[in-house]
Amino acid sequence: MDIQEQIKRYIDSLNKLKGADILQLHQYMLKRLPNGKLWFLDGKDEKGKVVANPSIGYGQFTLRYKNGSTKTFYQIGISSNLTGISVYIMGLSDKKQLPDLFKETIGKATVTGYCIKFKTLKDIHLNVLKEAITYGLKQTTFSS
């Protein structure tokens, strides 16, 4: 099964309201990064054990760990969680950036060093979420 089919099945498996919100974010990200790499992580480890919520990822960059190792990963991720939706903005060098820049203006959301979590899109200012996504993409997109 290809990634697009996995994503469709994932979105279809969600309740109607959450699925509609995830679909809206997914369509926005496809327009925002039309040539970006598309990811689907099913949340299972190599043994098939569920260790995280499934997530859809967009774009690609290299994560650099403190020990010097690296990993290719998505720039922006979207996932359903028990209480709502998480948008992951990966690769920010300073974990205070996201909360400092967007926590006060986004609406009813929890903003951490790399995650914006909210119940529904109606609870937040979508334009501020889009600004946060753009900010994150600029931090991890490098021209050669």
Side-chain angles (χ1 to χ4, degrees):
M1 180 178 352
D2 73 358
I3 290 175
Q4 291 181 355
E5 181 60 28
Q6 289 176 306
I7 292 169
K8 182 182 181 329
R9 284 188 183 199
Y10 168 62
I11 293 171
D12 289 348
S13 75
L14 301 171
N15 74 50
K16 188 175 181 177
L17 295 174
K18 194 180 290 187
D21 282 355
I22 296 271
L23 180 60
Q24 183 177 342
L25 290 171
H26 175 62
Q27 290 169 337
Y28 168 75
M29 289 305 304
L30 291 176
K31 288 178 186 170
R32 182 69 179 79
L33 289 174
N35 299 314
K37 180 173 178 171
L38 191 58
W39 303 66
F40 181 75
L41 305 176
D42 64 7
K44 297 176 184 174
D45 66 11
E46 60 279 347
K47 295 178 184 174
K49 181 181 175 188
V50 175
V51 296
N53 292 319
S55 62
I56 306 167
Y58 309 88
Q60 178 175 310
F61 82 111
T62 302
L63 275 169
R64 299 189 189 290
Y65 296 101
K66 289 182 182 179
N67 69 4
S69 64
T70 61
K71 175 182 176 180
T72 301
F73 204 58
Y74 55 69
Q75 293 168 280
I76 306 294
I78 299 171
S79 180
S80 170
N81 60 55
L82 288 175
T83 59
I85 297 169
S86 296
V87 175
Y88 302 100
I89 300 177
M90 306 303 295
L92 300 177
S93 59
D94 181 347
K95 297 303 176 199
K96 294 179 183 178
Q97 292 173 319
L98 211 54
D100 286 352
L101 293 170
F102 302 104
K103 183 178 182 178
E104 298 300 320
T105 57
I106 196 158
K108 289 182 177 179
T110 302
V111 183
T112 66
Y114 69 94
C115 181
I116 299 172
K117 190 179 345 180
F118 49 91
K119 188 169 183 172
T120 70
L121 286 177
K122 286 189 262 180
D123 293 329
I124 64 164
H125 301 288
L126 189 55
N127 61 322
V128 177
L129 178 62
K130 289 176 179 181
E131 286 177 34
I133 289 168
T134 298
Y135 177 81
L137 289 171
K138 285 180 181 176
Q139 304 306 305
T140 55
T141 301
F142 307 100
S143 50
S144 41

